[in-house]
């Protein structure tokens, strides 16, 4: 089922969002506590991919929060939603996969927010990215990974 979200240049992956919200809606319709727990768990940390033509991120995050509330779950702390501006990497013709880099830094930020420096260090030290057309500058990303590893 397609959601009534605005499609933007860099937004959340549409099929992934549709599937996630359908799971929540089915759990709400079922009335099953087991389905509610499963849906809450999935919605709490969805790890949504950012694509070139995806759903507007704030609207999707609001829809997830509303469904979590209706499912009776606590609202999660807002997850970092890195984008070109916050990461500061240059987009080049052949670079590291945008979603992979963004997911790594989001995972590192969540680990640091939870006080788990070992998990952050592990994520940074084992990071590998696919090289794609229109990706983040490899040198800039590698330098940032090394800089953050030294800080830890």
């Amino acid at each position: 089922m397609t959601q009534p979200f605005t499609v933007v240049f860099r937004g959340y992956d549409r099929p992934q969002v549709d599937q996630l919200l359908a799971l929540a809606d089915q759990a709400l319709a079922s009335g099953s506590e087991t389905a509610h727990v499963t849906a809450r768990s999935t919605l709490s940390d969805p790890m949504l991919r950012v694509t070139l033509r995806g759903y507007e991120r704030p609207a999707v995050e609001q829809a997830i929060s509303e469904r979590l509330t209706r499912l009776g779950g606590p609202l999660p702390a807002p997850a970092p939603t890195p984008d070109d501006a916050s990461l500061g990497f240059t987009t080049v013709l052949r670079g590291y996969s945008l979603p992979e880099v963004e997911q790594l830094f989001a995972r590192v930020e969540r680990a640091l927010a939870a006080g788990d420096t070992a998990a952050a260090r592990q994520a940074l030290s084992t990071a590998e990215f696919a090289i794609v057309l229109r990706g983040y500058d490899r040198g800039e990303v590698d330098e940032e990974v090394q800089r953050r590893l030294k800080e830890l």
Side-chain angles (χ1 to χ4, degrees):
M1 173 174 115
T2 302
Q3 301 297 322
F5 298 117
T6 302
V7 175
V8 296
F9 182 65
R10 292 197 26 87
Y12 287 132
D13 183 71
R14 292 181 290 179
Q16 185 183 17
V17 170
D18 290 341
Q19 183 179 13
L20 179 70
L21 296 180
L23 170 74
D25 292 341
Q26 289 169 357
L28 286 165
S30 75
S32 163
E33 185 57 33
T34 303
H36 282 213
V37 169
T38 301
R40 273 195 311 260
S41 173
T42 303
L43 289 173
S44 292
D45 190 20
M47 295 300 292
L48 296 169
R49 291 181 299 275
V50 176
T51 62
L52 288 180
R53 291 194 36 81
Y55 290 139
E56 184 180 36
R57 291 188 255 182
V60 170
E61 292 162 3
Q62 179 65 33
I64 290 171
S65 292
E66 289 170 0
R67 282 170 176 82
L68 274 169
T69 299
R70 290 173 46 208
L71 287 164
L75 294 177
T81 55
D83 56 23
D84 290 349
S86 65
L87 288 177
F89 299 126
T90 305
T91 302
V92 296
L93 182 61
R94 290 193 42 79
Y96 288 141
S97 166
L98 300 172
E100 290 178 13
V101 171
E102 291 168 355
Q103 288 174 2
L104 169 73
F105 286 104
R107 190 169 42 249
V108 168
E109 292 303 317
R110 279 194 304 276
L112 291 173
D116 192 352
T117 57
R121 188 177 303 111
Q122 175 70 22
L124 288 167
S125 64
T126 60
E128 291 185 18
F129 308 108
I131 298 173
V132 298
L133 290 175
R134 281 206 26 84
Y136 285 132
D137 183 277
R138 292 180 275 178
E140 291 177 6
V141 172
D142 290 340
E143 286 176 19
E144 182 65 13
V145 167
Q146 291 306 313
R147 185 188 69 75
R148 290 192 183 204
L149 274 170
K150 287 178 185 175
E151 286 179 355
L152 296 174

